């Protein structure tokens, strides 16, 4: 009996032992993690994932990574034997433009199968973090200094100067927000109220890569007490000969002014510099040569002082050397239609017939009028292909144009181009009348030809009359029937002969033509000669000669 019990106990232990060992080891039942997410903000690389079985304790997680073109997997530094569901691998030196692949597994005494993450490129997956913001307060303005959130960033090393920023600002007391887009790393907000608290937040954007960052924390600052001296206003730059002329307005007289410039407003590393010949200026203008500035974009500002009292700096104006010096009138070509002009605007040309390259947006003002009238019409267009509608057919119109900068701070315009005059083409009505006229002319042509022939006959009858024989001969030919001309010469004919006596008495003799006679005889009482007439060709000439002799 004892032996039987021991055997049964042994069988139960053998059956239970594999399950206990398996549970203790956590081997076959350990599941892989799920829903792995990769978050990259600036240079910070964060991994997050979910545990598949919360009931299993003391589980750790490890990651491997693999670069493009590699067959083997490498342990991911910073993400080995992690007990939480988050790890940071920012210390890993990666090429942010190279594609990588990750995999993760759960570990206890045994390990789960690997869970692979889809491959990705860090730069494409990265987000722009909140920028750093520093504020300076004036009485009616706030100066904002912005820099990327990570200095010496590996992720944005090639794009550090391409960032643009946008901000939201509001009075702390009202909460009414105002948005300002596309500002540089240094920006100044004007027309604020003195001794007032303003709050703002800023976010960065990298438009070349279609990336928009997240907003910075909210920053608040209070403007100062209103200054005794106001800043200069209405700053303008013009070109005279080889010099720039900078002018401004100021309320008080007997003041001293200075002018500063900043190169490349998009780069926060640049510092303000003094313009030569514009220090301690006693007038509200200063003149400096064009060669002071190289080609580029600058900011200019003016400050007033009276002894120890100084104003805040004026509003900064953008100064583009190309626009100021070379804003020339546009050139254009005109293609005329019946009721409109198509105007094609091109870039102005310098000496040597080379076009001026303009990297700034322009709008065009086009003036046109009828050549016989002074009433002008105007069109404002941003396009370089413009249609001028509602024109009269077969009418001469004149056109001139000039260019304006779209930047309101510059507010510059070229002079008008020379006027170009062009005649519109015929309209549809003129074409219809032309076709009708051609049809009428073709229809009337036969009548015109007939009338011309009749007219020529009248001219010939009046000025060139035909010679007529005597009345006796004309009477003879008029009485001779036409049908005799059609008779055969073989038939016997009866001829009428005329005997002329003293040109008043004529005797008609009829005789039969005999085939064997040689000639015919004629008698006359008064004439000395006689003639004969025969059907033979040879007798015709003789008859005419005899008639002439009789008349003689």
């Amino acid at each position: 009996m004892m032996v039987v019990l021991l055997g049964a106990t042994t069988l139960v232990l053998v059956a239970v032992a594999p399950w206990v060992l398996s549970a203790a080891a956590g081997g076959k039942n350990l599941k892989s993690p799920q829903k792995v997410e990769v978050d990259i903000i600036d240079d910070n690389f964060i991994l997050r994932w979910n545990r598949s079985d919360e009931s299993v304790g003391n589980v750790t997680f490890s990651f491997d990574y693999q670069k493009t073109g590699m067959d083997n997997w490498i342990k991911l530094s910073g993400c080995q034997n992690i007990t939480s569901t988050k790890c940071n691998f920012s210390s890993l030196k990666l090429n942010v433009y190279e594609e990588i692949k990750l995999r993760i597994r759960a570990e206890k005494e045994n390990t789960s199968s690997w869970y692979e993450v889809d491959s990705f490129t860090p730069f494409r997956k990265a987000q722009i973090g909140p920028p750093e913001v520093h504020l300076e307060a004036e009485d009616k303005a706030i100066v904002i200094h912005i820099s990327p959130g990570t200095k010496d960033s590996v992720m944005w090393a090639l794009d550090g100067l391409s960032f643009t920023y946008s901000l939201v600002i509001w009075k702390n007391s009202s909460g009414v927000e105002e948005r300002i887009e596309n500002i540089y790393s240094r920006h100044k907000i004007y027309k604020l109220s003195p001794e007032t608290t303003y709050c703002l937040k800023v976010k960065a954007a990298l438009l070349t890569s279609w990336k928009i960052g997240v907003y910075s924390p909210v920053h608040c600052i209070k403007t100062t007490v209103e200054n005794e001296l106001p800043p200069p206003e209405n700053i303008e730059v013009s070109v005279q000969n080889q010099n720039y002329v900078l002018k401004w307005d100021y309320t008080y007289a007997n003041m001293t002014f200075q002018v500063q410039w900043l190169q490349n407003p998009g780069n926060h590393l640049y510092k303000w510099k003094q313009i030569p010949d514009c220090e301690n200026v006693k007038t509200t203008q200063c003149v400096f040569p064009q060669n002071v500035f190289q080609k580029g974009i600058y900011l200019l500002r003016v400050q007033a002082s009276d002894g120890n009292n100084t104003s805040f700096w004026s509003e900064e104006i953008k100064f583009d050397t190309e626009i100021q010096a070379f804003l020339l009138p546009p050139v254009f070509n005109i293609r005329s239609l019946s009721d409109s002009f198509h105007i094609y605007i091109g870039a102005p040309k310098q000496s040597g017939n080379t076009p001026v390259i303009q990297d700034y947006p322009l709008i065009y003002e086009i003036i046109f009028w009828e050549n016989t009238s002074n009433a002008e019409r105007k069109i404002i267009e941003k396009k370089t292909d413009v249609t001028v509608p509602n024109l009269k057919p077969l009418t001469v119109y004149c056109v001139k144009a000039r260019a304006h900068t779209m930047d309101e701070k510059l507010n510059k315009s070229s002079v008008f181009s020379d006027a170009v005059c062009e005649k519109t083409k015929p309209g549809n009505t003129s074409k219809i009348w032309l076709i009708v006229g051609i049809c009428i002319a073709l229809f009337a042509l036969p009548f015109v030809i007939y009338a011309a022939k009749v007219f020529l006959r009248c001219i010939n009858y009046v000025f060139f009359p035909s010679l007529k024989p005597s009345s006796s001969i004309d009477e003879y030919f008029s009485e001779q029937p036409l049908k005799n001309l059609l008779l055969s010469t073989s038939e016997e004919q009866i001829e009428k002969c005329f005997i002329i006596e003293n040109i008043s008495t004529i005797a008609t003799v009829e005789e039969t033509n005999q085939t064997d006679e040689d000639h015919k005889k004629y008698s006359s009482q008064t004439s000395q000669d006689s003639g004969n007439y025969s059907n033979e060709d040879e007798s015709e000439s003789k008859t005419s000669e005899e008639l002439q002799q009789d008349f003689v």
Side-chain angles (χ1 to χ4, degrees):
M1 186 66 179
M2 191 65 179
V3 175
V4 174
L5 291 175
L6 289 173
T9 304
T10 303
L11 290 174
V12 170
L13 291 175
V14 171
V16 173
W19 178 84
V20 174
L21 293 175
S22 176
K28 295 182 179 179
N29 293 331
L30 196 60
K31 296 181 180 179
S32 303
Q34 300 293 322
K35 296 183 179 180
V36 180
E37 295 181 356
V38 182
D39 294 331
I40 304 176
I41 299 177
D42 294 332
D43 288 349
N44 295 316
F45 293 75
I46 306 297
L47 285 171
R48 293 183 176 88
W49 61 92
N50 293 341
R51 300 181 61 161
S52 298
D53 191 351
E54 297 288 344
S55 61
V56 180
N58 299 324
V59 177
T60 61
F61 304 93
S62 296
F63 275 89
D64 289 351
Y65 75 96
Q66 185 183 62
K67 295 181 181 180
T68 302
M70 294 177 57
D71 295 329
N72 59 315
W73 291 85
I74 305 173
K75 293 184 180 297
L76 185 62
S77 176
C79 294
Q80 298 295 314
N81 303 318
I82 303 298
T83 58
S84 65
T85 57
K86 175 183 175 181
C87 76
N88 186 319
F89 64 102
S90 303
S91 60
L92 182 66
K93 303 301 181 183
L94 292 174
N95 182 350
V96 297
Y97 303 101
E98 185 179 24
E99 193 175 78
I100 64 171
K101 185 184 292 186
L102 300 175
R103 67 181 185 179
I104 184 176
R105 68 181 179 182
E107 301 168 336
K108 205 171 183 182
E109 284 79 358
N110 290 331
T111 59
S112 70
S113 59
W114 289 101
Y115 176 84
E116 292 191 5
V117 182
D118 292 337
S119 60
F120 63 93
T121 302
F123 179 79
R124 293 184 178 179
K125 201 172 186 63
Q127 292 181 312
I128 303 173
E132 296 179 357
V133 180
H134 175 68
L135 304 178
E136 294 179 8
E138 297 181 1
D139 58 349
K140 298 179 182 179
I142 294 176
V143 182
I144 307 170
H145 300 273
I146 309 170
S147 60
T150 303
K151 295 181 179 180
D152 302 324
S153 171
V154 175
M155 186 65 66
W156 316 120
L158 301 180
D159 304 280
L161 299 180
S162 301
F163 281 110
T164 60
Y165 302 92
S166 59
L167 62 85
V168 178
I169 186 171
W170 63 92
K171 280 185 181 181
N172 193 35
S173 58
S174 68
V176 177
E177 295 182 346
E178 178 186 357
R179 297 181 182 273
I180 303 176
E181 304 288 342
N182 298 326
I183 63 175
Y184 293 115
S185 59
R186 183 192 175 280
H187 186 74
K188 193 172 183 178
I189 303 175
Y190 300 96
K191 299 180 174 60
L192 302 180
S193 301
E195 300 183 88
T196 305
T197 300
Y198 290 87
C199 297
L200 57 84
K201 57 183 179 180
V202 182
K203 68 178 179 180
L206 197 59
L207 300 181
T208 55
S209 302
W210 299 93
K211 291 182 178 294
I212 305 296
V214 296
Y215 277 108
S216 68
V218 175
H219 297 266
C220 297
I221 193 170
K222 185 177 181 179
T223 54
T224 64
V225 178
E226 186 172 4
N227 200 337
E228 180 181 352
L229 294 179
E233 298 178 337
N234 303 324
I235 301 174
E236 292 184 356
V237 181
S238 61
V239 178
Q240 291 183 3
N241 300 325
Q242 299 298 318
N243 296 322
Y244 292 121
V245 179
L246 185 67
K247 297 181 180 181
W248 58 88
D249 295 333
Y250 199 70
T251 306
Y252 305 129
N254 301 322
M255 303 295 294
T256 303
F257 304 94
Q258 63 172 333
V259 182
Q260 290 184 344
W261 61 274
L262 176 68
Q263 186 180 12
N264 192 356
N267 191 340
H268 66 282
L269 299 178
Y270 283 83
K271 303 298 182 181
W272 287 95
K273 297 180 181 181
Q274 194 74 36
I275 295 181
D277 303 326
C278 292
E279 296 178 273
N280 301 321
V281 178
K282 300 297 183 180
T283 61
T284 56
Q285 73 170 33
C286 71
V287 180
F288 52 95
Q290 290 189 20
N291 58 16
V292 169
F293 295 128
Q294 298 178 353
K295 184 182 295 185
I297 300 175
Y298 300 83
L299 292 180
L300 300 178
R301 66 182 185 180
V302 184
Q303 185 183 55
S305 62
D306 180 15
N308 295 327
N309 296 328
T310 59
S311 70
F312 286 113
W313 290 98
S314 67
E315 289 192 25
E316 300 159 4
I317 65 165
K318 187 183 295 184
F319 173 70
D320 190 331
T321 56
E322 290 189 62
I323 294 178
Q324 297 295 335
F326 301 107
L327 187 56
L328 302 176
V331 297
F332 57 89
N333 295 320
I334 298 176
R335 183 168 67 91
S336 64
L337 300 176
S338 60
D339 59 349
S340 63
F341 277 162
H342 282 178
I343 301 177
Y344 303 93
I345 301 175
K349 295 183 179 180
Q350 296 175 327
S351 59
N353 205 30
T354 57
V356 177
I357 299 175
Q358 298 172 331
D359 297 327
Y360 37 84
L362 297 175
I363 57 176
Y364 300 97
E365 178 184 354
I366 300 171
I367 304 293
F368 62 98
W369 66 95
E370 288 188 32
N371 194 30
T372 57
S373 172
N374 293 326
E376 295 182 344
R377 286 188 281 173
K378 180 169 66 175
I379 293 178
I380 302 294
E381 284 287 350
K382 296 180 181 179
K383 302 181 296 182
T384 56
D385 183 358
V386 182
T387 299
V388 179
N390 303 324
L391 303 182
K392 299 177 184 178
L394 295 175
T395 305
V396 177
Y397 288 88
C398 295
V399 181
K400 63 181 180 180
R402 65 175 175 175
H404 304 276
T405 58
M406 296 179 64
D407 193 329
E408 295 180 355
K409 291 184 178 180
L410 290 173
N411 193 23
K412 293 297 177 181
S413 303
S414 71
V415 298
F416 275 106
S417 65
D418 295 333
V420 177
C421 297
E422 192 80 15
K423 187 176 183 179
T424 53
K425 294 183 178 180
N428 294 330
T429 304
S430 301
K431 292 181 181 178
I432 292 173
W433 280 111
L434 181 62
I435 295 172
V436 171
I438 293 173
C439 293
I440 293 175
L442 293 175
F443 182 75
L445 185 61
F447 297 95
V448 174
I449 295 174
Y450 177 77
K453 287 184 176 180
V454 172
F455 181 72
L456 290 175
R457 286 179 182 176
C458 293
I459 295 295
N460 290 332
Y461 180 79
V462 173
F463 295 100
F464 306 100
S466 59
L467 297 176
K468 292 184 179 181
S470 62
S471 59
S472 58
I473 295 176
D474 185 60
E475 182 180 355
Y476 166 74
F477 283 105
S478 62
E479 291 179 358
Q480 185 177 2
L482 181 62
K483 65 181 180 178
N484 291 339
L485 300 176
L486 303 176
L487 295 177
S488 174
T489 55
S490 63
E491 294 182 0
E492 183 179 346
Q493 299 181 3
I494 299 175
E495 297 181 349
K496 292 183 179 181
C497 297
F498 297 91
I499 300 174
I500 302 173
E501 183 178 357
N502 295 331
I503 315 176
S504 61
T505 305
I506 300 174
T508 304
V509 180
E510 296 180 4
E511 64 180 50
T512 305
N513 185 19
Q514 301 296 330
T515 59
D516 55 352
E517 292 183 357
D518 296 330
H519 61 277
K520 297 178 183 178
K521 298 180 179 180
Y522 297 89
S523 62
S524 174
Q525 296 178 356
T526 58
S527 66
Q528 297 177 355
D529 297 325
S530 63
N532 56 42
Y533 178 83
S534 172
N535 286 333
E536 301 293 334
D537 294 337
E538 297 175 355
S539 63
E540 289 181 358
S541 59
K542 295 179 179 181
T543 303
S544 61
E545 292 177 357
E546 290 174 355
L547 289 174
Q548 293 177 0
Q549 292 176 0
D550 290 339
F551 282 113
V552 174

